[in-house]
Amino acid sequence: MDNKALYKISYGLYVVGSRIDGKNAGCVVDAFIQATSSPVPTVILCSIQANETNAAIKQTGEFTVSIQPTDVDPFIIANFGFQSGRDADKWANVPHKIADGLPVLEKAAAFLRCKVTDFKELSTHTAFFCEVVDAWQGEGEPLIYGDYQKGMKTAAQEAFKSYKESGKVPVKAEKWVCSVCGYVYDGEIPFEQLPEDYKCPICGQPKSVFEKQ
Ligand code: FE
């Protein structure tokens, strides 16, 4: 079996928010799908059993999903993906609000609130079967996990390194974004100094389509 064939299953990236023992919990997941749409939309979330968020969802029975946009600050992914909620108050590090008792990010492509109706333990993960009890729009287009791997993971790792070394949340610097596909330039060379024939590594469009944010 060629396990790499499974890499071609597409995913998004989602920040899950829940509560445990009176405090906010959260993590990043990619394994989140809509299963049915009527009479009530249902979704399935697969969450790592060892994570605090897994215990939080079991305790609370509800969670939010902030659907990550293509222009997400890489630190947000690092903050929720590279450390445990047992060691850090992840939500305190990022702009967020409380929606009917559960945390959501200030900015996301869209937001959902899910209520667990059933779950099944898999080898390493729990599959939570849920009803969507609320949903609202944010801004931007959803980030695709494969594009994160190709275009943003390095920036997330660097943001996390800076955070661990300094003990401070990194301030987001200006960034250059491909206006066609949303790729965020994260190379070593300052964007302005790149050769004029530079092309977006994701969609192949020229340097001129990049916009400073
Ligand atoms: Fe592009």
Side-chain angles (χ1 to χ4, degrees):
M1 184 163 86
D2 183 353
N3 284 326
K4 287 193 174 151
L6 278 73
Y7 292 2
K8 293 188 177 171
I9 299 173
S10 57
Y11 303 91
L13 266 182
Y14 311 94
V15 169
V16 171
S18 192
R19 299 269 297 169
I20 186 164
D21 300 334
K23 72 180 181 77
N24 293 333
C27 68
V28 168
V29 301
D30 61 352
F32 178 69
I33 63 160
Q34 180 172 359
T36 68
S37 58
S38 66
V40 187
T42 62
V43 292
I44 302 170
L45 170 78
C46 290
S47 137
I48 297 172
Q49 286 161 355
N51 280 1
E52 184 185 53
T53 305
N54 186 291
I57 294 170
K58 283 173 182 161
Q59 187 179 99
T60 309
E62 281 194 283
F63 60 91
T64 61
V65 175
S66 300
I67 299 176
Q68 295 308 287
T70 51
D71 62 349
V72 59
D73 177 351
F75 176 71
I76 289 184
I77 307 294
N79 179 60
F80 284 100
F82 298 173
Q83 62 184 340
S84 170
R86 297 186 181 98
D87 307 323
D89 183 353
K90 298 180 187 182
W91 286 97
N93 286 339
V94 296
H96 70 281
K97 53 196 165 189
I98 302 300
D100 199 10
L102 294 180
V104 290
L105 288 173
E106 190 78 41
K107 285 186 182 171
F111 305 88
L112 308 175
R113 186 185 182 97
C114 305
K115 189 177 170 81
V116 177
T117 55
D118 200 357
F119 67 94
K120 181 172 174 58
E121 300 296 352
L122 307 176
S123 53
T124 52
H125 285 59
T126 306
F128 291 101
F129 302 86
C130 314
E131 287 182 353
V132 178
V133 293
D134 199 3
W136 62 103
Q137 296 279 356
E139 278 181 26
E141 294 303 314
L143 176 65
I144 304 303
Y145 182 62
D147 291 342
Y148 160 77
Q149 283 284 351
K150 280 182 276 186
M152 200 183 286
K153 192 174 179 180
T154 306
Q157 287 166 333
E158 278 167 10
F160 193 67
K161 188 163 168 255
S162 153
Y163 161 69
K164 291 309 275 185
E165 284 172 3
S166 69
K168 290 187 198 135
V169 172
V171 177
K172 197 162 71 161
E174 72 180 32
K175 59 183 186 178
W176 286 87
V177 181
C178 174
S179 63
V180 174
C181 73
Y183 166 76
V184 180
Y185 175 71
D186 67 348
E188 299 286 326
I189 303 166
F191 186 82
E192 288 91 337
Q193 291 171 25
L194 289 172
E196 287 312 308
D197 62 356
Y198 171 81
K199 288 187 171 53
C200 173
I202 304 296
C203 71
Q205 294 296 308
K207 189 180 176 185
S208 57
V209 308
F210 278 75
E211 292 167 351
K212 185 154 74 171
Q213 290 187 352

